[in-house]
Amino acid sequence: MRRFCYTLLVVLALLPLSTISRPFVLILTPDDLSDAAQPSSESSADSGDTSDWDEFGDSDARLDDELDPGSWRPILEPDSGPEPKTEDEAVYYSGVAKMIAAASSGGPRVMEEAASEIEAAATAGNPLAQSALGFLYETGMMREKNKAKAFMYHYFATDGGNTQSKMVLAYTYSRQDMHDKAVVLYAELAEIAVNSFLISKDSPVIEPVRLHNGAEENKEALRKSRGEEDEDFQILEYQAQKGNAAAMYKIGIFYYFGLRGLRRDRAKALLWFLKAVEKGEPRSMELLGEIYARGAGVERNYTKALEWLTLASQRLPSAYNGMGYLYVKGYGVEKKNYTKAKEYFEKAVAHEEAGGHYNLGVMYLKGVGVKRDVKLACNYFIMAAKEGQPKAFYQLAKMFHTGVGLKRNLPMATALYKLVAERGPWISLSRWALESYLKGDVGKAFLLYSRMAELGYEVAQSNAAWILDKYRERSMCIGESGFCTDAERLQRAHSLWWQASEQGNEHAALLIGDAYYYGRGTERDYDRAAKAYMHAKSQSNAQAMFNIGYMHEHGQGLPFDLHLAKRNYDQALETDPAAKLPVTLALTSLWIRKNYASSFLVCFFVLYLLPFLRMIMKNF
């Protein structure tokens, strides 16, 4: 197995995280392996230091409000958040409440009151308010858009412990290729996210739903996100009430993690899990074991955790991971037993469980009960990452960051840390934004997606931009001195699409190309349009291929080259057979240009027909 990491090209398509960002592909070659000498270790099955085994966390599970101080949860979920601790904090929450109200229906006057209260609290040194004020300066809401001031306030807020501003700074540094600074912040944020996960399972994460699929509304995804109002959920609930154990488990999962548009309700989730285990449902047994071991929503009880995991392991091999962890830590058992832990992890690996690969990787990386072997640990982490285990991404990020096991590569470490960090508790903004959109409160949804966009979430960037383009005045976009002018809306949408395109969104890149080609919200620039279309083409976008062919045919931003024009038209048709009509007309144009260079037909195609082909192509 060791040769796997030494000699082969490894491609990890991290698709399980593509709900958060664009699909991410990690390519490892032998050159990525660290040349550093293997650390010596005298560790054996009877020794080992678990002081570094921090990937699971030993402290009681902390609430999201503790992990994400300044969360807007008290405003968006009344009676669910903590009470303000100081007068400045009370002013901050009052300002946030007015800001959200203004986005819904209050308008500029209420937004100005909100901005003034937030600024007063920020001036008094409150880091929560400093973060919100940075957001106002970044977006230009009732304040002059000023990136320098936005950065300053986020810097102060980060220094005061605000995690959302830390996300903003990390994203800002990464956009500027300042990976030495971005990697430190993303590492801290990723650690917070990892410590909020369950012990060995891939904790489900709130899925940031893409409001649009290309240029159209993503109706199927939106339908499935209506929570208790969704017909599929109602059918599932009916099945659960009739005694279907699998349905009970699924409903419990939805409530426990707050998925599919449901508000998180751990008490209700536990009731469903307990009903499911009465029917012998092993996944519920395993999850109860994980929950009791973490103390997440219940009082921590390692004895109960071991009991539930042992029952689950009789039918579910993944439960061996939790049992192995308890033996590593000596929780719920007589004493630590690394040999026993390793056996349980190996049983999980024998059934191709990602958690088992990850846990063995940690044992070999730390030298816990085994001789330390960083390269073997690398193998295990790669296998776990291939199955979508986010903790494995975290470990690979640390390897790239520190140069242990893999050659130091800060850009790669930054990208991997970012993937994990985006699973942190601040992702709750996505739930509230989608809930607002589904209820028809477009302005509130736009505000919340704008906040997430500032944190670096690509889906939020494209959602906020799409709302601006689709709803225009109804987006409740507020600018420097009132509701956004057409120019302010276009500029803000352009900025959001640009950020999304930087993160691999081909539809965003296509729209940026159109903006530069037609001069929408910016000056016309064929060269920049061509670059944007090239980026979209790299993501196999047929419209971009057609547009590149068109620009080659007319020498706009690209060299005049009929041969390359034909090649791109052909590629567009190969990528999307539905584009047959516009591609056929375009190829006809090329044939006429070649064979009747000075005829009336060429003038007709150039002056009248071809300008409409791009418009026709957009409908395919």
Side-chain angles (χ1 to χ4, degrees):
M1 180 173 180
R2 192 174 299 182
R3 294 180 58 201
F4 180 76
C5 198
Y6 296 165
T7 59
L8 296 183
L9 177 69
V10 182
V11 179
L12 304 181
L14 310 185
L15 296 180
L17 292 187
S18 63
T19 56
I20 298 176
S21 63
R22 307 301 294 173
F24 183 90
V25 178
L26 169 62
I27 300 177
L28 298 180
T29 72
D31 290 338
D32 290 310
L33 297 176
S34 174
D35 293 328
Q38 185 82 344
S40 61
S41 174
E42 299 300 327
S43 298
S44 68
D46 296 321
S47 64
D49 179 9
T50 60
S51 62
D52 282 339
W53 193 299
D54 57 1
E55 286 70 19
F56 299 149
D58 281 337
S59 61
D60 292 336
R62 296 168 63 192
L63 298 174
D64 284 356
D65 295 306
E66 297 178 70
L67 297 171
D68 182 21
S71 165
W72 295 354
R73 183 185 306 276
I75 310 302
L76 298 163
E77 293 184 12
D79 302 325
S80 67
E83 293 293 324
K85 299 175 182 178
T86 65
E87 183 178 343
D88 291 336
E89 193 169 311
V91 172
Y92 157 73
Y93 277 115
S94 174
V96 171
K98 289 180 179 178
M99 179 170 63
I100 294 173
S104 293
S105 58
R109 184 186 60 79
V110 178
M111 182 62 82
E112 176 54 42
E113 292 178 10
S116 296
E117 290 188 2
I118 290 170
E119 187 166 30
T123 303
N126 185 281
L128 313 182
Q130 289 168 341
S131 180
L133 187 57
F135 171 61
L136 295 179
Y137 275 113
E138 174 66 29
T139 54
M141 288 194 290
M142 302 313 295
R143 293 293 181 270
E144 181 182 2
K145 185 177 175 66
N146 189 318
K147 289 186 176 294
K149 284 188 176 181
F151 180 89
M152 177 185 70
Y153 282 113
H154 282 306
Y155 185 87
F156 290 148
T158 295
D159 195 48
N162 186 272
T163 51
Q164 293 197 19
S165 280
K166 189 175 290 187
M167 282 285 286
V168 174
L169 288 190
Y171 176 58
T172 301
Y173 286 137
S174 66
R175 288 189 72 197
Q176 298 172 356
D177 294 330
M178 299 172 67
H179 300 294
D180 57 330
K181 293 186 176 182
V183 74
V184 173
L185 295 174
Y186 273 133
E188 295 172 5
L189 292 159
E191 184 175 0
I192 293 173
V194 165
N195 286 334
S196 70
F197 297 165
L198 292 177
I199 291 175
S200 57
K201 294 186 69 62
D202 177 12
S203 305
V205 68
I206 300 168
E207 300 175 6
V209 174
R210 198 173 296 279
L211 298 182
H212 64 96
N213 187 8
E216 300 298 325
E217 192 169 57
N218 197 355
K219 293 183 179 179
E220 182 63 19
L222 294 176
R223 183 189 65 79
K224 292 180 178 179
S225 303
R226 294 185 179 276
E228 295 175 347
E229 297 178 5
D230 177 40
E231 183 179 335
D232 288 347
F233 177 83
Q234 292 172 356
I235 293 172
L236 189 68
E237 187 176 40
Y238 175 79
Q239 292 173 337
Q241 290 170 346
K242 290 296 183 181
N244 186 308
M248 295 173 183
Y249 168 74
K250 288 183 179 179
I251 289 180
I253 286 287
F254 291 163
Y255 278 118
Y256 191 83
F257 294 103
L259 306 177
R260 295 288 294 268
L262 292 171
R263 288 284 180 91
R264 176 178 286 183
D265 189 330
R266 285 181 169 174
K268 190 177 289 187
L270 287 171
L271 287 175
W272 281 113
F273 290 144
L274 290 170
K275 287 182 179 181
V277 298
E278 290 177 0
K279 299 284 185 179
E281 216 292 316
R283 292 172 297 177
S284 294
M285 296 175 187
E286 180 187 23
L287 196 54
L288 283 172
E290 301 265 351
I291 289 170
Y292 275 109
R294 286 282 292 167
V298 298
E299 183 177 349
R300 176 172 279 182
N301 188 320
Y302 293 119
T303 301
K304 281 189 176 182
L306 183 60
E307 290 174 357
W308 283 120
L309 289 168
T310 301
L311 281 173
S313 68
Q314 296 174 12
R315 295 170 55 191
L316 204 64
S318 59
Y320 288 126
N321 289 309
M323 296 172 68
Y325 165 72
L326 294 178
Y327 275 101
V328 163
K329 304 297 291 187
Y331 295 153
V333 296
E334 290 185 5
K335 63 178 181 178
K336 295 178 182 179
N337 189 325
Y338 305 127
T339 302
K340 193 81 170 175
K342 183 170 178 286
E343 289 176 0
Y344 280 129
F345 293 150
E346 287 174 339
K347 284 184 178 181
V349 167
H351 290 84
E352 300 183 354
E353 289 291 336
H357 286 110
Y358 169 78
N359 292 327
L360 284 177
V362 173
M363 291 192 80
Y364 281 103
L365 178 66
K366 309 286 186 179
V368 177
V370 295
K371 183 177 181 180
R372 190 178 186 197
D373 190 330
V374 175
K375 291 184 177 179
L376 185 55
C378 169
N379 284 332
Y380 281 122
F381 291 143
I382 287 173
M383 295 299 292
K386 287 178 67 177
E387 297 301 318
Q389 234 292 351
K391 292 182 181 179
F393 308 150
Y394 177 63
Q395 291 295 350
L396 290 171
K398 287 207 291 188
M399 287 181 156
F400 278 121
H401 186 187
T402 61
V404 174
L406 293 169
K407 286 184 178 178
R408 199 160 188 258
N409 185 329
L410 295 187
M412 183 61 73
T414 299
L416 289 172
Y417 277 140
K418 182 175 186 288
L419 284 174
V420 180
E422 288 184 340
R423 299 172 70 94
W426 32 87
I427 200 175
S428 293
L429 283 164
S430 179
R431 177 198 292 129
W432 301 320
L434 180 61
E435 184 179 275
S436 300
Y437 182 80
L438 292 173
K439 290 181 177 179
D441 194 341
V442 176
K444 183 176 176 181
F446 172 68
L447 175 73
L448 297 177
Y449 279 130
S450 295
R451 176 59 164 174
M452 280 192 77
E454 189 190 28
L455 271 57
Y457 286 88
E458 180 275 317
V459 175
Q461 290 164 354
S462 59
N463 282 351
W466 188 76
I467 287 175
L468 284 173
D469 285 346
K470 179 178 177 63
Y471 291 93
R472 300 185 182 181
E473 293 85 358
R474 287 192 293 150
S475 68
M476 301 294 287
C477 172
I478 296 178
E480 181 179 345
S481 57
F483 286 115
C484 289
T485 63
D486 288 342
E488 283 178 317
R489 265 198 319 275
L490 282 170
Q491 193 279 330
R492 196 175 295 184
H494 180 87
S495 176
L496 289 163
W497 284 127
W498 183 264
Q499 292 176 61
S501 71
E502 288 178 339
Q503 301 198 70
N505 185 322
E506 69 276 8
H507 177 67
L510 187 66
L511 291 176
I512 289 295
D514 287 348
Y516 281 120
Y517 187 90
Y518 295 109
R520 295 173 182 163
T522 185
E523 293 184 5
R524 176 173 287 185
D525 190 324
Y526 289 138
D527 291 335
R528 287 190 173 185
K531 289 179 181 178
Y533 290 145
M534 285 291 188
H535 178 65
K537 177 185 175 180
S538 69
Q539 304 292 324
S540 301
N541 186 286
Q543 173 73 61
M545 296 171 185
F546 184 92
N547 291 351
I548 291 170
Y550 184 91
M551 295 178 81
H552 272 303
E553 182 177 355
H554 297 277
Q556 296 173 329
L558 292 170
F560 175 78
D561 190 320
L562 297 184
H563 174 72
L564 288 178
K566 182 179 186 304
R567 178 184 300 177
N568 279 279
Y569 288 145
D570 288 339
Q571 289 176 345
L573 183 58
E574 291 173 6
T575 302
D576 185 2
K580 185 174 182 179
L581 175 59
V583 170
T584 299
L585 292 173
L587 292 175
T588 301
S589 166
L590 286 178
W591 183 84
I592 292 174
R593 289 171 72 98
K594 181 178 179 181
N595 294 280
Y596 301 94
S598 302
S599 72
F600 167 76
L601 285 175
V602 172
C603 294
F604 173 76
F605 268 88
V606 172
L607 295 177
Y608 297 102
L609 184 58
L610 284 179
F612 294 102
L613 290 183
R614 287 165 55 91
M615 297 176 60
I616 294 174
M617 182 66 187
K618 291 180 181 179
N619 295 321
F620 288 85

